[in-house]
Amino acid sequence: MNTKHDRKPGGKRGWATQWTRAGLIALGAAVLSSCGQGQFIFLGDQAASYNREIWNLSLWAIGLSIIIFVGVSGMLFYTVQKFREDRNTAAPQQFHGNNKLEAWLIGIPIILVLGLSVLSVRSLARLNPVSQETLGIEALGAQFWWNFSYPASTVQGGSVVTNGNEMVMPAGQKVAITTTSRDVIHGFWAPNLGGQRASIPTVKKVWELDTQRPGVYQGNCSQLCGASHANMRFKVIALPPERFAAYNEAARAYVAPTPAPGSAEERGYNLFMQGKADTGAVACASCHRVQGTPAGGVSGPDLSFFGTRRTLGAGMWEAMTPRHWEETEVAQSAKTEKQYSPAQALHEWIKNSPRVKPGSIMPSYDGSTYFVDGKPIKGGLLTDDEIDDVAAYLRSLRLPEEADYWRGIPVHGTNTTAGGSQ
Ligand code: CUA
């Protein structure tokens, strides 16, 4: 029996299925392409109240747009059908001055726009309160890295807990982020948590973020800021509250370990603190701080917990497990297109940071010229062994095991968890 519902295989239905499938593949590719090294970036993440608010507002806007689209197209088709030209008359029927219709056509858009405005203003008000009891974190953007400090977490000696490129926060609690910048305008953006704030020199913007779900979230600088804008990434590590408390206490009490006499770490410590005058190698301590040591430099990232971090070069390299530090296939330098393990990358980094990260103003230690504010400076010299000593010292700068904020925390959107301490 052949009814009008019968369809031939490969007919209209097959065509539609193919297009649906092609659409899904394209959508999947778009979603996958947003994943950087296993990180799933998703604007509609419902674990963050910022994103939930925006999502709900979007649903209103999308819903009203669909109603408008259907309404306008419906009226258009109705009108075209009903007032089709009659071939027997010379001119179509004329009419104008329908006041009632005009009142509707003006009134409905006004109501829609006003409605959306009220919803938007309500969302703005909800997204921008800063309550007194929220934990404060200052996010300072600099070319090309992030400095995260905790003004309430004081450290003996008058400083505060500070970390580079890895922002640790408690899950299930609002944190008040103060964004600002040291040099040019940067943009603080962790898409899964929502919000996006320009970090502007001399301006301090305070706003709130939270997430219900512990995890590791990807962050990026979202404002074109120079040669390594794309290399200005960061991680947000949201911990269960008791884990965060343990981190915070350990970070406040942290004193960098004293290297054993005669060890590589001790040789690295001496180079870090004093440099090497006879070859012109600048002391790392002049630009970097290490809590509990004389190193108090602030022009480069704080290195107090360097050995606990899993990222290097503001997220250029990621080592999500300790094993990754030694593997060769996970890391890549965009500039040289060489494959590096993070351990090799650290070596290359110390040797000549501007070569692996364009625009980096860190001195080179292989004698090559580097640039600060466009001025060429001749780099000092460290041997490969000396560079490895400095690397060994850096990797010994670890928070105690219970404060390792990466340990067992799920990397959002993947089935992996970050590994334990090295
Ligand atoms: Cu900082 Cu782009």
Side-chain angles (χ1 to χ4, degrees):
M1 197 173 85
N2 193 11
T3 72
K4 66 175 178 178
H5 295 293
D6 285 350
R7 287 200 174 98
K8 276 179 267 170
K12 212 174 186 180
R13 192 179 187 176
W15 177 86
T17 312
Q18 275 171 17
W19 275 101
T20 310
R21 195 176 296 153
L24 284 175
I25 290 169
L27 184 68
V31 169
L32 283 175
S33 65
S34 67
C35 304
Q37 302 201 4
Q39 291 281 289
F40 187 75
I41 294 174
F42 183 41
L43 292 169
D45 196 326
Q46 299 290 295
S49 50
Y50 201 111
N51 270 350
R52 274 204 305 279
E53 184 68 37
I54 297 292
W55 186 258
N56 292 338
L57 181 62
S58 308
L59 290 183
W60 275 101
I62 292 166
L64 284 174
S65 304
I66 290 173
I67 293 171
I68 292 166
F69 177 76
V70 170
V72 171
S73 342
M75 283 192 283
L76 179 69
F77 282 117
Y78 170 79
T79 313
V80 167
Q81 193 61 36
K82 179 154 177 154
F83 300 101
R84 199 177 276 266
E85 184 193 357
D86 185 346
R87 288 178 198 280
N88 298 321
T89 54
Q93 188 192 345
Q94 302 293 312
F95 73 94
H96 61 86
N98 188 334
N99 289 344
K100 204 169 153 190
L101 181 64
E102 282 179 13
W104 277 107
L105 290 180
I106 293 167
I108 291 174
I110 287 178
I111 290 166
L112 289 173
V113 169
L114 278 180
L116 275 179
S117 308
V118 168
L119 289 169
S120 303
V121 169
R122 188 183 66 163
S123 290
L124 276 175
R126 282 178 181 170
L127 291 175
N128 287 290
V130 176
S131 40
Q132 291 299 316
E133 63 274 19
T134 44
L135 170 81
I137 301 177
E138 185 164 310
L140 173 84
Q143 286 173 318
F144 299 92
W145 55 282
W146 294 92
N147 187 71
F148 298 111
S149 59
Y150 299 73
S153 300
T154 49
V155 173
Q156 210 176 10
S159 193
V160 298
V161 169
T162 306
N163 202 6
N165 305 315
E166 297 183 0
M167 187 181 108
V168 187
M169 66 179 266
Q173 185 190 328
K174 295 257 185 198
V175 292
I177 315 254
T178 304
T179 44
T180 185
S181 166
R182 172 179 292 171
D183 34 48
V184 299
I185 299 176
H186 303 278
F188 177 101
W189 194 29
N192 284 70
L193 306 181
Q196 180 182 182
R197 289 292 186 279
S199 55
I200 303 169
T202 74
V203 174
K204 290 195 170 192
K205 286 190 186 181
V206 189
W207 52 294
E208 287 185 345
L209 267 189
D210 71 352
T211 176
Q212 298 305 309
R213 187 181 48 231
V216 178
Y217 301 92
Q218 180 67 39
N220 294 71
C221 178
S222 58
Q223 179 77 42
L224 183 62
C225 57
S228 267
H229 157 65
N231 297 323
M232 192 174 159
R233 302 168 213 166
F234 59 96
K235 298 283 185 196
V236 176
I237 298 115
L239 299 177
E242 66 286 354
R243 285 275 306 271
F244 179 79
Y247 159 77
N248 190 38
E249 278 316 300
R252 289 183 63 186
Y254 178 88
V255 174
T258 308
S263 62
E265 287 83 356
E266 192 196 43
R267 293 193 298 274
Y269 172 89
N270 291 332
L271 288 166
F272 189 97
M273 296 300 163
Q274 287 135 35
K276 207 172 154 194
D278 54 336
T279 63
V282 184
C284 314
S286 54
C287 295
H288 297 281
R289 170 179 177 266
V290 176
Q291 194 168 308
T293 75
V298 291
S299 52
D302 193 298
L303 298 176
S304 299
F305 321 136
F306 183 88
T308 298
R309 289 195 208 150
R310 292 278 180 278
T311 60
L312 172 66
M316 285 183 79
W317 290 272
E318 296 181 6
M320 301 314 278
T321 69
R323 198 166 49 89
H324 282 166
W325 269 102
E326 310 304 340
E327 285 179 353
T328 51
E329 75 272 26
V330 291
Q332 184 172 3
S333 157
K335 179 88 184 283
T336 62
E337 297 191 355
K338 268 189 200 159
Q339 298 278 323
Y340 294 125
S341 73
Q344 290 166 330
L346 178 55
H347 182 97
E348 295 299 319
W349 181 270
I350 297 169
K351 196 172 183 170
N352 191 336
S353 165
R355 186 171 60 218
V356 289
K357 183 165 182 172
S360 166
I361 57 168
M362 184 167 133
S364 70
Y365 290 92
D366 62 357
S368 57
T369 302
Y370 64 100
F371 294 85
V372 177
D373 294 332
K375 290 191 199 81
I377 300 174
K378 179 109 175 73
L381 269 177
L382 290 181
T383 65
D384 279 348
D385 286 344
E386 285 168 335
I387 286 171
D388 286 337
D389 291 341
V390 173
Y393 174 64
L394 287 175
R395 289 180 63 183
S396 75
L397 300 174
R398 276 179 227 154
L399 287 165
E401 181 80 27
E402 74 274 10
D404 178 354
Y405 48 82
W406 287 92
R407 182 171 41 96
I409 297 300
V411 178
H412 177 58
T414 70
N415 291 324
T416 48
T417 55
S421 77
Q422 310 165 42

mmCIF file of all heavy atoms in Angstrom, residues 142 144 146 185-187 221-225 229 232, ligand 1:
data_model
loop_
_atom_site.group_PDB
_atom_site.id
_atom_site.type_symbol
_atom_site.label_atom_id
_atom_site.label_comp_id
_atom_site.label_asym_id
_atom_site.label_seq_id
_atom_site.Cartn_x
_atom_site.Cartn_y
_atom_site.Cartn_z
ATOM 1 N N ALA A 142 49.864 40.923 34.084
ATOM 2 C CA ALA A 142 51.124 41.538 33.678
ATOM 3 C C ALA A 142 51.545 40.855 32.380
ATOM 4 O O ALA A 142 51.144 39.722 32.115
ATOM 5 C CB ALA A 142 52.204 41.350 34.748
ATOM 6 N N PHE A 144 53.625 38.514 30.603
ATOM 7 C CA PHE A 144 52.406 37.879 30.160
ATOM 8 C C PHE A 144 52.090 36.767 31.125
ATOM 9 O O PHE A 144 52.346 35.612 30.847
ATOM 10 C CB PHE A 144 52.569 37.323 28.735
ATOM 11 C CG PHE A 144 52.875 38.402 27.727
ATOM 12 C CD1 PHE A 144 54.173 38.745 27.405
ATOM 13 C CD2 PHE A 144 51.826 39.112 27.138
ATOM 14 C CE1 PHE A 144 54.436 39.758 26.491
ATOM 15 C CE2 PHE A 144 52.093 40.117 26.209
ATOM 16 C CZ PHE A 144 53.394 40.444 25.888
ATOM 17 N N TRP A 146 49.938 35.975 35.287
ATOM 18 C CA TRP A 146 48.984 36.447 36.302
ATOM 19 C C TRP A 146 49.556 36.263 37.691
ATOM 20 O O TRP A 146 50.187 35.252 37.993
ATOM 21 C CB TRP A 146 47.677 35.651 36.201
ATOM 22 C CG TRP A 146 46.941 35.898 34.935
ATOM 23 C CD1 TRP A 146 47.037 35.181 33.776
ATOM 24 C CD2 TRP A 146 46.008 36.946 34.679
ATOM 25 N NE1 TRP A 146 46.211 35.719 32.820
ATOM 26 C CE2 TRP A 146 45.568 36.805 33.349
ATOM 27 C CE3 TRP A 146 45.490 37.988 35.452
ATOM 28 C CZ2 TRP A 146 44.640 37.659 32.770
ATOM 29 C CZ3 TRP A 146 44.567 38.836 34.875
ATOM 30 C CH2 TRP A 146 44.145 38.675 33.541
ATOM 31 N N ILE A 185 46.213 46.724 29.275
ATOM 32 C CA ILE A 185 44.925 46.136 29.636
ATOM 33 C C ILE A 185 44.925 44.643 29.289
ATOM 34 O O ILE A 185 45.251 44.249 28.170
ATOM 35 C CB ILE A 185 43.770 46.848 28.905
ATOM 36 C CG1 ILE A 185 43.729 48.324 29.298
ATOM 37 C CG2 ILE A 185 42.437 46.180 29.244
ATOM 38 C CD1 ILE A 185 42.679 49.120 28.562
ATOM 39 N N HIS A 186 44.622 43.829 30.281
ATOM 40 C CA HIS A 186 44.454 42.396 30.083
ATOM 41 C C HIS A 186 42.999 42.042 30.360
ATOM 42 O O HIS A 186 42.215 42.899 30.759
ATOM 43 C CB HIS A 186 45.373 41.604 31.023
ATOM 44 C CG HIS A 186 46.825 41.948 30.887
ATOM 45 N ND1 HIS A 186 47.628 41.406 29.907
ATOM 46 C CD2 HIS A 186 47.617 42.796 31.582
ATOM 47 C CE1 HIS A 186 48.852 41.903 30.020
ATOM 48 N NE2 HIS A 186 48.874 42.757 31.026
ATOM 49 N N GLY A 187 42.645 40.789 30.155
ATOM 50 C CA GLY A 187 41.280 40.365 30.449
ATOM 51 C C GLY A 187 41.287 39.073 31.242
ATOM 52 O O GLY A 187 41.872 38.075 30.818
ATOM 53 N N CYS A 221 43.805 35.027 29.177
ATOM 54 C CA CYS A 221 43.718 36.468 29.008
ATOM 55 C C CYS A 221 42.832 36.706 27.792
ATOM 56 O O CYS A 221 43.018 36.077 26.755
ATOM 57 C CB CYS A 221 45.091 37.084 28.783
ATOM 58 S SG CYS A 221 45.024 38.863 28.503
ATOM 59 N N SER A 222 41.827 37.580 27.927
ATOM 60 C CA SER A 222 40.866 37.746 26.831
ATOM 61 C C SER A 222 41.016 39.097 26.149
ATOM 62 O O SER A 222 40.136 39.521 25.411
ATOM 63 C CB SER A 222 39.441 37.578 27.371
ATOM 64 O OG SER A 222 39.217 38.521 28.397
ATOM 65 N N GLN A 223 42.119 39.785 26.396
ATOM 66 C CA GLN A 223 42.320 41.104 25.791
ATOM 67 C C GLN A 223 43.678 41.110 25.108
ATOM 68 O O GLN A 223 44.687 40.840 25.774
ATOM 69 C CB GLN A 223 42.255 42.165 26.895
ATOM 70 C CG GLN A 223 42.465 43.573 26.430
ATOM 71 C CD GLN A 223 41.234 44.134 25.746
ATOM 72 O OE1 GLN A 223 40.130 43.925 26.207
ATOM 73 N NE2 GLN A 223 41.425 44.802 24.633
ATOM 74 N N LEU A 224 43.682 41.405 23.826
ATOM 75 C CA LEU A 224 44.960 41.404 23.103
ATOM 76 C C LEU A 224 45.940 42.350 23.787
ATOM 77 O O LEU A 224 45.651 43.533 23.944
ATOM 78 C CB LEU A 224 44.744 41.820 21.646
ATOM 79 C CG LEU A 224 46.006 41.780 20.785
ATOM 80 C CD1 LEU A 224 46.568 40.381 20.681
ATOM 81 C CD2 LEU A 224 45.727 42.347 19.412
ATOM 82 N N CYS A 225 47.069 41.810 24.249
ATOM 83 C CA CYS A 225 47.931 42.613 25.123
ATOM 84 C C CYS A 225 49.389 42.555 24.710
ATOM 85 O O CYS A 225 50.248 43.049 25.428
ATOM 86 C CB CYS A 225 47.769 42.142 26.563
ATOM 87 S SG CYS A 225 48.125 40.389 26.790
ATOM 88 N N HIS A 229 50.129 37.307 24.178
ATOM 89 C CA HIS A 229 48.736 37.330 24.674
ATOM 90 C C HIS A 229 48.161 35.915 24.761
ATOM 91 O O HIS A 229 47.537 35.538 25.749
ATOM 92 C CB HIS A 229 47.895 38.200 23.736
ATOM 93 C CG HIS A 229 46.439 37.920 23.764
ATOM 94 N ND1 HIS A 229 45.663 38.130 24.883
ATOM 95 C CD2 HIS A 229 45.604 37.422 22.821
ATOM 96 C CE1 HIS A 229 44.404 37.780 24.616
ATOM 97 N NE2 HIS A 229 44.354 37.338 23.384
ATOM 98 N N MET A 232 49.155 33.723 27.797
ATOM 99 C CA MET A 232 48.891 34.317 29.114
ATOM 100 C C MET A 232 47.677 33.611 29.713
ATOM 101 O O MET A 232 46.612 34.169 29.843
ATOM 102 C CB MET A 232 48.652 35.817 28.958
ATOM 103 C CG MET A 232 48.650 36.548 30.281
ATOM 104 S SD MET A 232 48.546 38.312 30.043
ATOM 105 C CE MET A 232 47.938 38.781 31.663
HETATM 106 CU CU1 CUA B 1 47.181 39.715 28.668
HETATM 107 CU CU2 CUA B 1 46.168 39.245 26.560
#
